[in-house]
Amino acid sequence: MEALIRGRLALVFFVLPFLSLLGTPSYVSSQELQIINAERRIDLTSHIVKVFLTLKVENTGTSPASEIILAFPPTQVEHLALLKGAATVGKRKKKNYVPLDVNPTELPDGPNGTQFFSISLLNPLNTGESITLEVLLILTHSLEPFPREISQSESQLVYYHDSAIILSPYHIKEQTTYIKTPSTKVESFTTVEPTNRLGTELKYGQYDGRPPYSFSPIIVHFENNHPFAVVEELVREVEISHWGSIQITEHYKLVHGGARHKGIFSRVDYQSRPSISGASSFKHLLASLPPRVHSVYYRDEIGNISTSHLRTDSRKSELEIEPRYPLFGGWKATFIVGYGLPLQDFLFESSDGRRFLNFSFGCPLVNTAVDKLIIKVVLPEGSKDPSAVVPFSVKQHLETSYSYLDVIGRTVVVLEKENVVPEHNSPFQVYYNFNPLSMLVEPLILVSAFFLFFMACVAYLHVDLSIRK
Ligand SMILES: *[C@@H]1O[C@H](CO)[C@@H](O)[C@H](O)[C@H]1NC(C)=O
Ligand SMILES: *[C@@H]1O[C@H](CO)[C@@H](O)[C@H](O)[C@H]1NC(C)=O
Ligand SMILES: *[C@@H]1O[C@H](CO)[C@@H](O)[C@H](O)[C@H]1NC(C)=O
């Protein structure tokens, strides 16, 4: 019987790949889809660039289409932190978004360097049908300070490079691009008729009937004094103790990623005229922590930094930290933030009896880009078979760490991701098996150590006494 089932399973696994090959609608070349309407909104108000793209795509071919291709210039893909796609269902007030899978793909006919991503549709798009897609693109390090160096009294200006026409493998019937700047101070911008500026918004288009792979480079030069807070490396250690708490230790290497500071720094000037002196510098940082944090500390290699304020309510905690000096372009600060959290808020038992940690990925500092994030989840001693579930791709490996009284060491699940933005602050889980008896190992070691010590004392005293007699 068992052999029979196994045989059948093997058959299913053998046949499935072929079935799915047959099942997918045949490949639809780019000419058979067209974009009826495209609207792009580029938000340049912070140092993290957000691009919202709305595409209405129609199938003008003869066979159903199962995927829609997005194209980007190589410089954007290099700085791509996040790319999300969703289909819009319903109209106006009843609009809903259904998330769709987006994956890198290859197309043979792209111009030099163009990189492609494919959005997989839940249901194939039949001939004559159309669908509205929402795409979110987040880019870091895409605003280039110019001039590269500024003095304390100067405002920071940056360049943004893009194309007035949306790069696409499809014909686009109508398209418009809106660029939002942080202030009305725009030094210059490329004009591609029609181009208009109104307040903090630049409008490129409407452009009609652009063939596939149309491209028209533009540069916008504008003022941006938003704090360019970049964490070059963040290591977050999450240590689980089944005795009741989770201890978090975060090691930050922070840098001001804007135009480099030149000349000398005058603290008097900085303090007396804060609105114009050091407009692009920052002296506070806000960390958003879970509710019920306790034992919060903030220190660097010199020692505790007293300038931090913690505000807590039932939903969240906010920690405001102030480095020892204000940060100007190119300046760095290295510090550690630590805190404790109640175990029962983050550690749960799954239906199959495994324990799991449910914790937030990403960086607690608000509005910060992280070049490299390393999360180390230190499991209690005696934990087995760990596995991590993260909603996006990360590098993973296991390490072993030792602390006081550890006999076999603790398993550490290490997760690594580059180019992390606040949108990555979503929950992830680490599952593991745990035998409650192993919790008794450490107390037993302590007890036996005390017992041995006691015996040694008795023996010593005994010997001592016998000498005196
Ligand atoms: C393609 O791009 C590479 C690197 O950017 C460049 O060296 C090469 O000349 C380009 N080729 C063409 C045909 O444009
Ligand atoms: C630093 O702060 C922590 C937590 O507030 C405190 O426990 C510790 O004693 C302080 N250390 C020094 C050297 O002040
Ligand atoms: C993890 O926690 C979040 C809320 O913080 C919750 O929405 C989510 O369902 C939890 N995930 C699991 C697998 O329990």
Side-chain angles (χ1 to χ4, degrees), residues 167 198 405 416:
L167 188 63
L198 195 71
L405 300 177
E416 266 186 57

Side-chain angles (χ1 to χ4, degrees), residues 266-277:
S266 155
R267 196 174 274 274
V268 177
D269 217 28
Y270 184 76
Q271 276 159 354
S272 58
R273 300 188 298 157
S275 59
I276 47 167
S277 180

